[in-house]
Amino acid sequence: MLSFISAKEAAEKWNISQRRVSVLCSESRIDGAMMVGNMWIIPSNAEKPIDLRTVRCEKGNVIALKPFVKWVGGKSQLIDELEKMLPVDDEKIITKYCEPMVGGGALFFNVLSKYNFDELYVSDINSELINAYNVIKSNVYELINQLQEMQLTFLPMDDNGRKFYYYTIRDKFNATNLNDETAVNKAACFIFLNKTCFNGLYRVNKKGLFNVPMGAYKNPMICDEENLLNINKVLQNVTIVCGDYSLAKDFIDDNTFVYIDPPYRPISETSAFTSYNSDTFDDNEQIRLAKFIDEINAKGAKIVLSNSDPKNVNIDDTFFDDLYKAYKIKRVSASRMINSKADNRGRINELIICN
């Protein structure tokens, strides 16, 4: 004899809300469910339906992906914390992913390797970075050919030869205007410089010229062909935009997960690595970003933001606590990856802010 359980019992069994069970019943998503009086009853042997509209981790189809550039402020060490913020529990329908300050894309590539979304949007104000994303998406084989040639030329050289080659590429990169004809070569130079410069730092002077000196790597991986080909595949369904984060507003709705990783507010004079472009991201820009977050929060988006914690150096500095007092603020431990003084590299707190 077939036995039944209540919607509440099904919710506890499947670890979702009772309201969600009722919705699934009303949509005829649960075989054998029926309304008795004013309540739903479900066959006790019914299986939890797969909600195709909700983000799902497909562990059987994991694609190995990692950022194709090193990036100051990259979130690789915070991935576990950030991934916990993805709403995969049926309580929030998420079909879209948006990262409007994508940088190296540590979380973005982690998400792409394991989750399915109907629509994805990434953007950044750094035109050279976005050009590299677009070239990988549309012209990856020519890019790989150029990077392989650079790798084969650079690696066998002695220190003096490498230095001459590095600064030749840097001068060429700065002297070449970005357009359709130069896009692939500019992307190749951009990736080469990133893999061989000091600490993978992207920094430009007031004239917008890349001015980072050469690093001291013995055997840098300049052309990671397998990773580039994997990224090429997943980028085919991604909208890539060069511009201010505010342009993402029209894409974002109540079905969107938004991760925002702005240039961090410096916590000391020696950690002011915000010069990814010739413009700086000061406190006024942090305040403008907070207003944008308020706007997309009002749209119903699921939002996660990361930033530095001023309390690392001044316990009385409540800049972000005040700016995001309407949101949840979590302090997590992370390694300081770049500092001009080696003895100042250690564990600090960073902020993860969400609605």
Side-chain angles (χ1 to χ4, degrees):
M1 181 177 179
L2 183 64
S3 60
F4 290 84
I5 57 177
S6 67
K8 180 180 180 180
E9 290 170 323
E12 293 174 350
K13 178 181 177 182
W14 295 335
N15 195 30
I16 60 177
S17 70
Q18 184 175 342
R19 177 186 62 81
R20 188 64 189 150
V21 172
S22 298
V23 170
L24 292 169
C25 289
S26 66
E27 293 177 346
S28 301
R29 300 288 304 283
I30 303 176
D31 292 339
M34 65 181 71
M35 178 72 78
V36 176
N38 62 352
M39 63 178 289
W40 287 100
I41 61 172
I42 295 109
S44 57
N45 62 352
E47 296 184 358
K48 178 182 177 181
I50 297 175
D51 191 339
L52 298 178
R53 300 171 301 167
T54 305
V55 179
R56 293 284 173 189
C57 181
E58 300 189 354
K59 295 184 178 179
N61 295 307
V62 170
I63 301 173
L65 293 175
K66 58 185 177 182
F68 61 90
V69 288
K70 296 178 287 184
W71 208 248
V72 173
K75 294 299 165 293
S76 296
Q77 58 183 321
L78 294 182
I79 288 297
D80 290 343
E81 287 291 338
L82 293 171
E83 195 173 353
K84 292 175 184 177
M85 306 294 178
L86 281 167
V88 294
D89 59 358
D90 285 334
E91 279 300 296
K92 179 70 177 174
I93 304 302
I94 296 294
T95 61
K96 301 165 72 175
Y97 180 92
C98 178
E99 194 166 336
M101 303 175 91
V102 68
L107 180 63
F108 172 62
F109 288 119
N110 177 271
V111 165
L112 277 181
S113 71
K114 295 187 289 186
Y115 295 85
N116 283 331
F117 289 89
D118 293 339
E119 298 178 73
L120 300 101
Y121 175 109
V122 296
S123 65
D124 202 282
I125 201 170
N126 187 317
S127 59
E128 298 291 353
L129 174 67
I130 290 300
N131 175 62
Y133 274 92
N134 278 318
V135 168
I136 293 171
K137 178 179 179 178
S138 62
N139 212 342
V140 70
Y141 291 104
E142 186 176 347
L143 174 66
I144 287 172
N145 287 338
Q146 292 197 24
L147 287 173
Q148 285 177 337
E149 182 177 345
M150 289 177 167
Q151 182 167 281
L152 290 171
T153 302
F154 182 79
L155 292 185
M157 291 179 169
D158 60 20
D159 290 345
N160 288 333
R162 285 186 173 191
K163 183 174 291 187
F164 178 82
Y165 189 79
Y166 174 87
Y167 288 105
T168 298
I169 295 295
R170 195 181 80 170
D171 290 344
K172 178 182 178 182
F173 177 75
N174 284 328
T176 304
N177 292 325
L178 178 58
N179 54 49
D180 291 343
E181 293 181 357
T182 64
V184 176
N185 185 251
K186 286 281 277 183
C189 291
F190 175 83
I191 294 172
F192 168 82
L193 292 170
N194 175 267
K195 298 295 187 180
T196 56
C197 74
F198 175 75
N199 273 346
L201 175 64
Y202 188 87
R203 183 188 64 203
V204 296
N205 60 23
K206 291 182 179 179
K207 294 181 179 180
L209 301 178
F210 180 77
N211 64 356
V212 182
M214 190 178 80
Y217 306 103
K218 291 183 178 180
N219 190 34
M221 173 69 83
I222 295 168
C223 182
D224 189 342
E225 180 176 359
E226 182 179 359
N227 189 52
L228 290 172
L229 290 174
N230 285 338
I231 292 175
N232 165 264
K233 293 175 184 178
V234 299
L235 286 184
Q236 298 309 308
N237 297 320
V238 179
T239 298
I240 304 170
V241 175
C242 181
D244 188 75
Y245 60 83
S246 60
L247 298 176
K249 189 185 301 183
D250 292 339
F251 174 85
I252 297 168
D253 57 23
D254 61 352
N255 295 327
T256 311
F257 176 86
V258 185
Y259 174 56
I260 300 179
D261 179 28
Y264 274 19
R265 185 174 187 247
I267 58 175
S268 69
E269 292 182 1
T270 58
S271 64
F273 293 101
T274 58
S275 297
Y276 303 114
N277 303 280
S278 54
D279 299 323
T280 59
F281 205 89
D282 58 14
D283 281 359
N284 289 328
E285 285 298 316
Q286 297 285 359
I287 293 169
R288 182 171 78 94
L289 175 60
K291 292 178 180 178
F292 171 76
I293 289 174
D294 287 341
E295 292 173 358
I296 61 174
N297 179 59
K299 283 190 164 192
K302 171 61 179 177
I303 305 164
V304 177
L305 165 79
S306 54
N307 217 308
S308 59
D309 184 4
K311 291 183 178 292
N312 284 301
V313 293
N314 182 0
I315 194 65
D316 296 321
D317 190 337
T318 59
F319 179 80
F320 286 123
D321 294 85
D322 296 336
L323 194 61
Y324 292 107
K325 60 185 177 182
Y327 300 88
K328 302 172 186 175
I329 300 176
K330 182 177 182 180
R331 286 174 163 85
V332 297
S333 178
S335 295
R336 182 196 301 274
M337 299 305 293
I338 288 188
N339 194 294
S340 62
K341 297 180 180 179
D343 57 0
N344 283 339
R345 300 179 189 179
R347 305 298 298 183
I348 61 170
N349 284 335
E350 294 190 5
L351 302 180
I352 296 180
I353 301 162
C354 62
N355 58 358

